[in-house]
């Protein structure tokens, strides 16, 4: 490892330690070791498969963000465990790979599909009002003999169940129609494989593999925003499959219209079929998820502890299940009963982080006070600059500081359309770039809210 990369890795580790606290850092992040960087891919390693799966689900997004902030050339991160062997394909058959055109000994793998997690089935997906449309749509796609809508576009915040539903669709089709060819992978891996195909001058094999499937499933499609060549290839692949009446399923953290850095023609195509949002969880849904998870693990958890966790951990399902896993593991290893006191002690860092969640109502109140306007003006139809500008600032901060989607933010501001919020965010960004005094004002508000 070069001195430069060593310094970057040291800074990333320090930020992880500061952000997640000493307990989480020592348990999960400290064992991470740097392996290599090759063609924009950072490879990290951990001692066990369990740790790898946990870090993938809980910390991967943050690791990607920190690495790209240190080195913009980084395009992806791979995390492996000691003693790992090359994965066998879960869905697509292994194909014989040609020798690279440049004569390199390395070959281009055509086993594109990612493994499926057997825990992610329809039976294990807890349905509630926030996710009932997405669940029904996913089930229809999995069970239908003919393509019902193309594409199925699932979107929502991190850890709300998008990946679970995509895996469930793939499992169901695989079990009921094993002859069908399915590819499931992240948009990040799609880009990575496309870059390798370009590198080895083997784009024809790449195109044939993707355009000959019965079902193509791309997770986190927002990753290709701003990546023009990958976007172009995905656009043509998408069109080819739709023209052949092959099913396409896509997930993202925003609706097609809200994803910045994607061409208008792509946004239009992504919105062709059914767009289903997975909303933030309710207390009842979180409690149901905890009860189901505890039952699957064969653990008796006191109802008061379940209710406490459902009330306190509201950010996403992944974090909620992670909290339960940590609590059960601690009680088992240390030999203590699971009580409210145990939960508060073991999960103190997670509970503190959730207590600091900023709400849109808090943002509106703080901005209204700062600009000396009535709180009611945040919901009013008045368009005078003295009212409209603070309202735009509040929308901008709501987008930056909360996990709410643009439609959700719009509804909190007097039922406005998501395009109004998009315009506000864009306008405030422009003003910050041209007016340093205004930029300092917005930054002050941000610090006050985060503090």
């Amino acid at each position: 490892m070069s001195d430069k990369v060593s310094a970057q890795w040291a800074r990333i580790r320090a930020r992880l330690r500061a952000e997640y606290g000493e307990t989480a850092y020592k348990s999960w992040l400290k064992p991470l070791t740097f392996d290599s960087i090759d063609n924009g891919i950072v490879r990290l390693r951990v001692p066990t498969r369990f740790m790898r799966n946990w870090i993938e689900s809980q910390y991967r997004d943050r690791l990607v963000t920190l690495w790209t902030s240190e080195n913009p050339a980084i395009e992806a991160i791979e995390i492996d465990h000691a003693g790992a062997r090359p994965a066998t394909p879960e869905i697509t058959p292994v194909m014989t790979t040609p020798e690279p055109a440049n004569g390199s000994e390395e070959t281009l793998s055509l086993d594109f599909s990612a493994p499926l997690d057997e825990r992610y089935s329809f039976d294990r997906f807890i349905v509630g009002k926030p996710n009932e449309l997405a669940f029904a749509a996913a089930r229809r796609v999995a069970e239908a003999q003919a393509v019902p809508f193309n594409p199925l576009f699932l979107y929502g915040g991190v850890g709300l169940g998008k990946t679970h539903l995509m895996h469930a669709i793939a499992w169901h089709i695989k079990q009921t129609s094993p002859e069908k060819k399915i590819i499931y992978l992240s948009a990040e891996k799609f880009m990575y494989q496309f870059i390798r195909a370009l590198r080895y001058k083997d784009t024809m094999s790449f195109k044939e593999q993707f355009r000959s499937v019965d079902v193509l499933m791309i997770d986190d499609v927002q990753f290709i925003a701003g990546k023009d060549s990958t976007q172009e290839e995905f656009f043509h692949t998408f069109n080819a499959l739709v023209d052949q009446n092959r099913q396409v399923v896509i997930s993202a953290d925003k609706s097609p219209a809200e994803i910045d850095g994607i061409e208008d023609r792509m946004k239009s195509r992504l919105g062709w079929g059914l767009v289903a949002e997975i909303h933030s969880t309710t207390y009842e849904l979180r409690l149901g998820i905890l009860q189901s998870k505890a039952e699957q693990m064969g653990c008796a958890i006191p109802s008061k502890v379940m209710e406490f966790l459902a009330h306190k951990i509201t950010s996403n399902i992944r974090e909620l299940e992670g909290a339960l896993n940590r609590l059960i593991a601690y009680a088992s290893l240390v030999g203590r009963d699971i009580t409210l006191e145990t939960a508060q002690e073991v999960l103190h860092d997670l509970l503190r982080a959730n207590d600091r969640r900023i709400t849109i109502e808090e943002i509106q109140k703080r901005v209204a006070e700062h600009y000396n306007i009535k709180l009611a003006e945040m919901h009013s139809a008045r368009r005078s600059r003295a009212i409209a500008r603070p309202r735009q600032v509040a929308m901008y901060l709501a987008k930056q500081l909360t996990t709410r989607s643009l439609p959700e933010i719009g509804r909190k501001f007097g039922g406005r359309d998501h395009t109004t919020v998009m315009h506000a965010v864009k306008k405030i960004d422009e003003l910050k770039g041209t007016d340093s005094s205004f930029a300092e004002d917005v930054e002050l508000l941000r610090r006050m809210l985060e503090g």
Side-chain angles (χ1 to χ4, degrees):
M1 186 179 357
S2 69
D3 291 344
K4 182 179 179 181
V5 173
S6 179
Q8 290 172 350
W9 181 225
R11 286 193 294 271
I12 288 168
R13 288 167 69 90
R15 289 184 66 178
L16 290 169
R17 189 174 203 155
E19 289 177 19
Y20 291 104
E22 197 66 27
T23 303
Y25 178 79
K26 283 184 176 179
S27 299
W28 305 108
L29 297 165
K30 189 176 181 182
L32 262 178
T33 57
F34 178 88
D35 190 357
S36 63
I37 293 181
D38 182 34
N39 295 318
I41 310 297
V42 174
R43 292 182 175 84
L44 305 175
R45 191 170 287 271
V46 290
T48 67
R49 182 188 295 273
F50 176 78
M51 289 189 72
R52 175 195 176 279
N53 293 342
W54 181 263
I55 291 168
E56 281 274 6
S57 67
Q58 301 294 321
Y59 304 107
R60 179 184 177 79
D61 292 345
R62 189 58 185 151
L63 281 164
V64 171
T65 301
L66 291 175
W67 267 108
T68 52
S69 68
E70 287 286 343
N71 183 354
I74 298 302
E75 295 169 347
I77 285 178
E78 291 183 357
I79 303 172
D80 217 332
H81 61 91
R85 292 174 293 181
T88 55
E90 288 282 349
I91 303 171
T92 54
V94 176
M95 298 177 64
T96 304
T97 58
E99 288 296 320
N102 62 4
S104 166
E105 292 182 3
E106 187 177 2
T107 58
L108 174 61
S109 170
L110 293 180
D111 176 21
F112 293 145
S113 194
L116 294 176
D117 191 326
E118 61 184 12
R119 297 170 301 171
Y120 290 165
S121 64
F122 284 122
D123 292 341
R124 291 190 174 186
F125 190 87
I126 307 302
V127 184
K129 192 170 181 60
N131 58 29
E132 59 186 357
L133 173 61
F135 176 82
R139 188 117 208 180
R140 174 73 63 83
V141 165
E143 295 174 349
Q145 294 302 310
V147 175
F149 19 72
N150 220 359
L152 170 60
F153 191 102
L154 305 171
Y155 79 97
V158 174
L160 295 182
K162 302 185 298 295
T163 298
H164 187 142
L165 285 177
M166 295 185 81
H167 281 232
I169 291 171
W171 275 122
H172 188 90
I173 295 174
K174 188 181 178 186
Q175 290 162 2
T176 57
S177 304
E179 75 282 359
K180 287 188 175 181
K181 290 176 63 178
I182 306 170
I183 285 184
Y184 162 78
L185 77 170
S186 67
E188 180 182 9
K189 189 174 181 184
F190 179 90
M191 185 192 76
Y192 170 60
Q193 295 290 0
F194 179 55
I195 290 171
R196 286 171 62 82
L198 290 174
R199 176 184 172 192
Y200 293 125
K201 299 180 175 62
D202 193 33
T203 55
M204 285 306 298
S205 295
F206 176 90
K207 292 176 189 292
E208 288 170 10
Q209 177 78 337
F210 275 99
R211 298 181 193 185
S212 63
V213 299
D214 296 292
V215 183
L216 175 63
M217 313 179 76
I218 303 289
D219 214 349
D220 291 323
V221 78
Q222 74 275 358
F223 185 84
I224 66 172
K227 299 172 176 67
D228 296 340
S229 296
T230 303
Q231 211 173 121
E232 183 77 15
E233 180 58 33
F234 178 73
F235 179 77
H236 292 306
T237 299
F238 177 92
N239 282 342
L241 290 172
V242 171
D243 288 346
Q244 297 172 54
N245 205 30
R246 308 290 177 84
Q247 181 69 62
V248 180
V249 183
I250 295 167
S251 82
D253 60 353
K254 305 179 183 72
S255 73
E258 297 169 12
I259 302 176
D260 293 329
I262 285 187
E263 295 178 14
D264 289 340
R265 61 174 182 165
M266 175 66 78
K267 291 181 181 181
S268 175
R269 293 296 174 96
L270 292 177
W272 264 6
L274 177 63
V275 177
E277 181 178 6
I278 303 179
H279 299 275
S280 299
T281 56
T282 59
Y283 167 74
E284 292 79 11
L285 180 57
R286 292 193 295 273
L287 188 57
I289 289 167
L290 285 171
Q291 290 169 343
S292 174
K293 181 77 173 176
E295 187 177 318
Q296 290 168 22
M297 299 177 74
C299 298
I301 310 293
S303 58
K304 285 186 177 180
V305 175
M306 294 279 210
E307 292 164 7
F308 173 75
L309 294 180
H311 271 301
K312 285 290 188 179
I313 301 176
T314 60
S315 51
N316 62 63
I317 296 168
R318 195 176 295 160
E319 206 167 80
L320 187 67
E321 291 185 341
L324 185 63
N325 287 338
R326 195 199 300 187
L327 188 58
I328 291 171
Y330 178 85
S332 172
L333 293 169
V334 179
R336 288 178 58 179
D337 292 334
I338 297 175
T339 64
L340 267 179
E341 291 73 22
T342 305
Q344 289 171 322
E345 178 185 337
V346 174
L347 305 173
H348 67 93
D349 57 329
L350 192 57
L351 296 172
R352 189 169 63 248
N354 275 270
D355 285 341
R356 289 201 304 267
R357 302 285 177 192
I358 300 167
T359 66
I360 293 176
E361 290 77 11
E362 287 177 81
I363 293 169
Q364 290 174 333
K365 183 179 178 183
R366 179 73 71 168
V367 172
E369 290 173 352
H370 183 78
Y371 287 102
N372 197 27
I373 64 172
K374 294 179 180 177
L375 181 59
E377 300 292 7
M378 291 291 166
H379 312 272
S380 76
R382 292 182 61 189
R383 295 187 177 184
S384 64
R385 178 168 292 188
I387 302 300
R389 187 69 77 231
R391 190 189 296 133
Q392 288 178 325
V393 169
M395 289 180 184
Y396 172 84
L397 290 170
K399 177 68 174 65
Q400 300 297 317
L401 300 177
T402 76
T403 58
R404 299 296 184 183
S405 67
L406 295 184
E408 287 178 306
I409 294 172
R411 287 193 288 270
K412 293 286 188 178
F413 284 83
R416 285 174 163 80
D417 190 77
H418 72 275
T419 56
T420 303
V421 184
M422 290 172 66
H423 172 73
V425 171
K426 186 176 180 181
K427 185 66 179 176
I428 298 304
D429 269 329
E430 290 173 355
L431 289 171
K432 284 177 65 183
T434 57
D435 186 337
S436 59
S437 177
F438 179 77
E440 288 175 8
D441 215 27
V442 174
E443 190 57 33
L444 172 63
L445 278 165
R446 176 199 280 271
R447 286 199 299 269
M448 290 166 65
L449 285 161
E450 288 180 328

